Amino acid sequence: MKSNLTPLGPKADKDTVRRSNLSLVLRAVRDEGEGEATRAGVAARVGLTRAAVSSLVEQLLETGFLTESGKTFSGQAGRPGTALKTARTGPAGLGVEVNIDYVSVCVVDLAGTGRVRLTEHLDNRGTPPAEVLARAARIAARTLDSAREQELYPVGVALALPGLVSGGAVRQAPNLGWNQVPAEELFAAALASEHPGRQELPVRSENEANLAALAELWFGGLERIRSFLYLTGEIGVGGALVIDGELLRGAHGFAGEIGHVVVDPSGPRCRCGSRGCLEQYAGQAALLRAAGVDGGGGLGVAELEKRVRAGDERAVGAVAEAGRMLGRVLSGAVNLLDPDAVVLGGIYRNLMPWLAAPADEELTGRVVSGLWAPGGGRLRASSVAGDAARGAAALVMTDVLADPVAYARPAMT
């Protein structure tokens, strides 16, 4: 969750300046990692005086956002400075991923560390949206109880949802059969009923691939890569684009629906209403069917992985064909958008040893710049940190980091 740190100019009022500078200092300590930050180091990083930073640090210590831990040298002449780190208690973010065959809930702290995780495998297809979101709220309520046992107090919820998401609603999620579902409203009401009398948490929502991409950006160890195309393979195929460290949502918030790019206009009918979409060739159901694996969900994917590792010809061939289809569609996206890398997540991450070569071959032959080469490192597997629930929870924490005064302990009840 790296961020650009820029102090406000002299014309801003004192309260605005102080709140902004508290955010600068808190983010600087978070970005340095555990036990690495000192007052002197933070002052150098954010461009404020040591005296100003010391005053801001004291306020963040008093309000519980920072803690001191032992001694460390600042790297400059003089006495060692006291090591600072973000607190492991206090404000937290709650992320809830609702997908076709599971619900996953995650709580992260100020550092973005996942502290609580609950996942339940459920077949949500054909189930009324209100019932699915009520299930998710029940799992979230248990997660909140576990978080509070660790003195973590989630200050908001972000929902990671498949399909077209905007304005608090799922406009269309073909694999769930959802259309115009007011997801935020339904989830908020269900969560409130699980904890009557407790302060209601604000709820926001976002496409799950977008949030997985943000988790990859913030926690995935992409080093200096700030522009990449992210694909997640589940029952559907989702995509997201990050440019210069910012998520590209498109004019209406629907950018990234790469799973519904048409591979063959005369191909199989897709749930979206079109024919021959990428999802029909490289989605989870298509892969399992082509590999001859019965069943679906996590057990089916585990069986597929087992067979490709054992060298089963049909399974290996199915994964290779999916890789070729992915490469063909991705080549168009790479030609159009010129990202530094393409990151494959979801079920594709563990299949990369068999998926990457055919995908790379297609990309090499079709990317017109000639900059793509097999094994060149531009096609890579996602990290284990790049999941939508964690990205959703971390998204909540961006508000806390932007204005810690608004989330200081006296404001939390």
Side-chain angles (χ1 to χ4, degrees):
M1 297 173 67
K2 297 291 184 182
S3 51
N4 296 322
L5 306 176
T6 306
L8 290 181
K11 292 186 178 180
D13 65 78
K14 289 183 177 180
D15 181 63
T16 300
V17 170
R18 187 161 188 82
R19 292 174 82 127
S20 175
N21 287 342
L22 283 166
S23 172
L24 287 174
V25 170
L26 180 59
R27 285 182 287 155
V29 173
R30 189 277 318 272
D31 290 349
E32 285 294 328
E34 293 298 308
E36 297 294 330
T38 64
R39 289 167 174 80
V42 170
R45 178 178 173 85
V46 303
L48 298 171
T49 66
R50 292 193 189 186
V53 167
S54 291
S55 174
L56 295 164
V57 165
E58 290 305 315
Q59 186 171 344
L60 290 167
L61 289 168
E62 290 171 6
T63 50
F65 288 95
L66 295 181
T67 61
E68 292 180 293
S69 177
K71 299 287 184 179
T72 184
F73 286 94
S74 65
Q76 301 175 1
R79 293 182 300 175
T82 305
L84 302 168
K85 61 181 181 178
T86 52
R88 287 182 57 80
T89 59
L94 179 69
V96 179
E97 180 185 3
V98 178
N99 221 306
I100 287 81
D101 56 356
Y102 66 89
V103 171
S104 188
V105 183
C106 179
V107 173
V108 303
D109 59 20
L110 277 166
T113 304
R115 299 284 298 279
V116 183
R117 169 79 70 163
L118 288 178
T119 300
E120 289 193 11
H121 294 278
L122 307 160
D123 189 350
N124 294 318
R125 287 168 291 192
T127 304
E131 185 176 334
V132 173
L133 291 162
R135 289 174 179 172
R138 287 193 289 273
I139 300 168
R142 300 205 313 270
T143 309
L144 286 171
D145 291 338
S146 298
R148 290 190 172 100
E149 290 174 1
Q150 299 183 48
E151 298 183 65
L152 290 166
Y153 305 95
V155 297
V157 185
L159 299 177
L161 303 166
L164 305 180
V165 181
S166 72
V170 177
R171 304 300 176 184
Q172 184 183 20
N175 288 309
L176 278 173
W178 290 11
N179 289 282
Q180 305 299 328
V181 174
E184 290 180 11
E185 179 184 335
L186 291 171
F187 179 85
L191 186 61
S193 71
E194 293 293 325
H195 285 294
R198 186 172 286 176
Q199 182 178 0
E200 292 187 15
L201 297 177
V203 179
R204 69 175 74 177
S205 58
E206 179 64 84
N207 172 267
E208 53 92 17
N210 285 349
L211 290 169
L214 287 176
E216 192 69 27
L217 173 71
W218 291 334
F219 311 116
L222 284 177
E223 300 159 354
R224 296 186 179 182
I225 294 176
R226 305 290 288 169
S227 297
F228 62 92
L229 180 63
Y230 182 90
L231 247 69
T232 178
E234 303 290 349
I235 288 178
V237 178
L241 182 66
V242 174
I243 299 293
D244 292 332
E246 298 291 336
L247 187 67
L248 182 67
R249 288 185 170 84
H252 306 96
F254 302 148
E257 287 296 322
I258 198 168
H260 297 289
V261 172
V262 174
V263 176
D264 179 359
S266 61
R269 176 73 68 181
C270 182
R271 286 179 178 269
C272 73
S274 185
R275 283 188 176 275
C277 295
L278 175 63
E279 190 174 289
Q280 299 304 307
Y281 300 92
Q284 178 179 303
L287 257 173
L288 295 179
R289 184 170 57 251
V293 175
D294 294 328
L299 292 176
V301 172
E303 177 62 22
L304 174 63
E305 292 175 11
K306 178 182 175 181
R307 292 189 188 185
V308 293
R309 288 194 180 94
D312 180 272
E313 289 187 8
R314 184 174 178 181
V316 170
V319 173
E321 181 61 18
R324 280 187 283 273
M325 292 299 186
L326 284 169
R328 290 175 192 174
V329 171
L330 286 169
S331 65
V334 171
N335 282 331
L336 181 65
L337 302 166
D338 189 29
D340 289 325
V342 173
V343 181
L344 300 184
I347 64 172
Y348 300 141
R349 186 170 68 85
N350 289 342
L351 295 173
M352 281 294 283
W354 304 273
L355 194 76
D360 250 338
E361 183 178 353
E362 290 289 334
L363 283 157
T364 301
R366 296 174 186 274
V367 172
V368 296
S369 67
L371 296 177
W372 200 281
R378 293 183 70 186
L379 182 67
R380 56 177 67 196
S382 70
S383 71
V384 293
D387 74 90
R390 187 179 181 188
L395 184 66
V396 173
M397 297 309 289
T398 60
D399 290 339
V400 179
L401 293 162
D403 187 11
V405 171
Y407 297 90
R409 279 180 175 170
M412 294 188 297
T413 59

